[in-house]
Amino acid sequence: MVDTVLQIKQINLKLLEELLWQLDTSIKACNYQQVIDDASTVIDQLCQSHLLVLLDIRAYAHAKQGHYDSACIDAQKMIDYAPKLGVGYARKGDVFSMFGRQSRAIDTYNQGLEAAALDHTQIQRLAKGKMNATMQSQARVDFLAALPTELGDSIIQMLSREGKAACLSVSRVWRARTLGCSAAWTDLVIDGCHENMQLVSVMPYIGQHILVLEINTENKQLRSDCLQHMANNHFHKMRSLKLTAPATSGFIQYFGRTTVALWQVRKTLTSLSVDLGENRNAITLADILLSCCRLTDLCYTTTSSMATLVGEFSTMEKHSALSFLKLESSSITGENIKTVLQRCQSLRALVMQGSDQTVFDPVMDYAPNLEILAYNAINQVIKLDGSTRAQPRGLRKRTLCGALFKVSGLSKQIVQRFYTAYPNFKFKNLSHLALCSNRWTQSFIIRSIRNTTTLKYLNIIGISDLHELVDTLMIIPPVVALGISHIYTTGAGTSLIQLFDRYAAIPPPFGTDRVLGSISFQNSPQITDPVLASMAKVRSLNQISLRCLTSVTALGLSNLLEALKLQLVHLELAEMDVITDSLVTALSQHSMLSTVILKGLPHVTNQGIQEMVLKKIPDVCGLSQLKVIGCSSVTEESISYAKQHVETVVYE
């Protein structure tokens, strides 16, 4: 791309004022012929000294941003407004030359030299532009055309979406090479960006390469065109489709096209995420499952009640492929999901947001293979391992491997019904548990894990009685990862000290994964220096996340990190005023530390960051990732220095 220097004239406001005064004088004198002449002069001057200048500026800016089409449109407007002036031809020729289209640039300069022969101010510019374009045309080498296909594709693949769009406008060769590069189009997001209209227009060519497509725009034309290309069977390999809330606004008018589109990709589509927002007359669960017979993962979100969007399943027998289902709604009842579960008995993971307690009965009765159940969970759901199961699982078999519950809203009476209905309820094979509950539900769930030997990952949020949980943890095998947040139980620190003392007494069985390796504490005033001191004795610990702990001191944190300096691999410190440069600098002595995350630490400065990186012990495992987020006293100066020594640095 050949760059050009913007050449514009200053807008002469004084001249325009004089012309308008002359026009006003003619109007007052009722000299209408003179009015016509004066008005014509003003119009000519406006075009020449105002409108043309502004169009020239905008065309140049579009070109510098890589917006080829927009730059050409503005340059052509300049020619249309003043075909006898050379400035429009000069700008259009410059745009062509900047984008490597030297032959078109030369033709445009020639047109300008012929049409604007009397515009002496632009003759020299046009002639110079033609000469430069001619030299560029003779000397240029199309490196992309000269490269081997594999190497050229590697370059195209690394380009941004904007860069790929720009390549489509360079030349026929570049367009063909870009459209034919399958790796460049495997993952595509269509949003409100300028380049999307161009990308959507070439979907008949790139659709065959797209594996993952996200439509996230309110632009009706873009949405309509994307769905039409799907309906026209241009996507032969699509595996994943995501329709966001903006993309589904006013969805009723796209209903027919959407169902046809889903039908066309039914043989390859395995993952679908649909956020319907406030749409009430939209595609239903039944519509989706009837169309997409090979769908394994479905996320279906609406702000409406699920009762209106389940749909009609009477014509559907079984959907044997679906293994992961996530439903988010303002209201989900057992009756809503009963029909779905009856048709989808291969489900291994069920996530429900906005559900009431009546969902447990159909889950018990119609989800025999369930491994992961999330009931109004506020944590990220664990992923399925990808393997197939020969033996039935589910609540009836009491063999869930993952459970995430937010059940703080259930009353004592409702929980008592659980005790009556499921007196021997146990999670025998549970490996993941995230729990946010009140006193009644907490007791029910903790009782269900009391005899488990498989629990590895435990995340506790705001439970009412930590002592009861710790009593259970004291008698089951150690968990691998423990997360505790928003705990206000009186004396909770004492219970945690007992737990860590027990874990510290267990010799690390190296070569196995049944040791406590990760701890996360957040927003819990019961976490104090003595708790940290007890935690420091756990020799298997290698990952720590400490966020917003108001009862710990700088000395307590320093002692903890000093005790773990030979074993800590991952450390996150966030939103604590007691953390200063001296503590961050001390991290340089941690021989195994590879990841450091610092968030919202107002007293950490450039000095701390630089010294941590500078004083890192040589010839040992060094930092590979550093994240500095929301630290107001850290600037680009230290981040630039860190990037010279750390493989990955994130600064926000």
Side-chain angles (χ1 to χ4, degrees), residues 16 32 54 118 146 160 165 218 281 287 328 343 368 388 550 583:
L16 182 60
Y32 298 113
L54 295 174
L118 299 179
S160 64
E218 294 181 346
N281 298 315
D287 294 327
E328 294 188 41
R343 301 302 195 278
T388 57
T550 57
L583 192 146

Side-chain angles (χ1 to χ4, degrees), residues 239-255:
R239 299 175 187 171
S240 175
L241 173 64
K242 182 176 182 179
L243 301 174
T244 65
T248 60
S249 61
F251 201 66
I252 188 62
Q253 59 185 308
Y254 305 107
F255 176 79

Side-chain angles (χ1 to χ4, degrees), residues 239-292:
R239 299 175 187 171
S240 175
L241 173 64
K242 182 176 182 179
L243 301 174
T244 65
T248 60
S249 61
F251 201 66
I252 188 62
Q253 59 185 308
Y254 305 107
F255 176 79
R257 192 172 301 177
T258 303
T259 53
V260 174
L262 292 177
W263 177 258
Q264 291 288 22
V265 296
R266 70 191 184 282
K267 295 181 179 179
T268 60
L269 191 68
T270 58
S271 176
L272 176 63
S273 176
V274 180
D275 187 343
L276 296 173
E278 298 179 354
N279 287 288
R280 300 194 177 190
N281 298 315
I283 191 166
T284 65
L285 276 171
D287 294 327
I288 292 172
L289 294 174
L290 282 167
S291 298
C292 305

Side-chain angles (χ1 to χ4, degrees), residues 492-527:
T494 302
S495 293
L496 288 174
I497 290 173
Q498 294 174 352
L499 178 65
F500 292 143
D501 287 346
R502 183 228 170 186
Y503 281 3
I506 300 175
F510 295 106
T512 75
D513 59 354
R514 293 315 304 269
V515 292
L516 180 62
S518 174
I519 288 181
S520 173
F521 286 148
Q522 178 177 347
N523 290 93
S524 297
Q526 297 298 320
I527 306 301

Side-chain angles (χ1 to χ4, degrees), residues 42-68:
V42 172
I43 292 171
D44 291 341
Q45 286 294 327
L46 179 62
C47 286
Q48 292 181 33
S49 63
H50 291 72
L51 184 58
L52 291 181
V53 168
L54 295 174
L55 285 171
D56 198 19
I57 294 171
R58 192 168 71 178
Y60 176 82
H62 276 310
K64 294 293 286 182
Q65 288 290 311
H67 302 160
Y68 170 79

Side-chain angles (χ1 to χ4, degrees), residues 13-56:
L13 296 177
K14 183 176 181 180
L15 175 60
L16 182 60
E17 290 174 357
E18 292 176 355
L19 292 172
L20 290 174
W21 177 83
Q22 181 62 44
L23 177 61
D24 185 59
T25 301
S26 299
I27 292 173
K28 292 178 179 179
C30 299
N31 187 347
Y32 298 113
Q33 182 58 50
Q34 189 62 41
V35 169
I36 294 172
D37 295 340
D38 291 342
S40 300
T41 302
V42 172
I43 292 171
D44 291 341
Q45 286 294 327
L46 179 62
C47 286
Q48 292 181 33
S49 63
H50 291 72
L51 184 58
L52 291 181
V53 168
L54 295 174
L55 285 171
D56 198 19

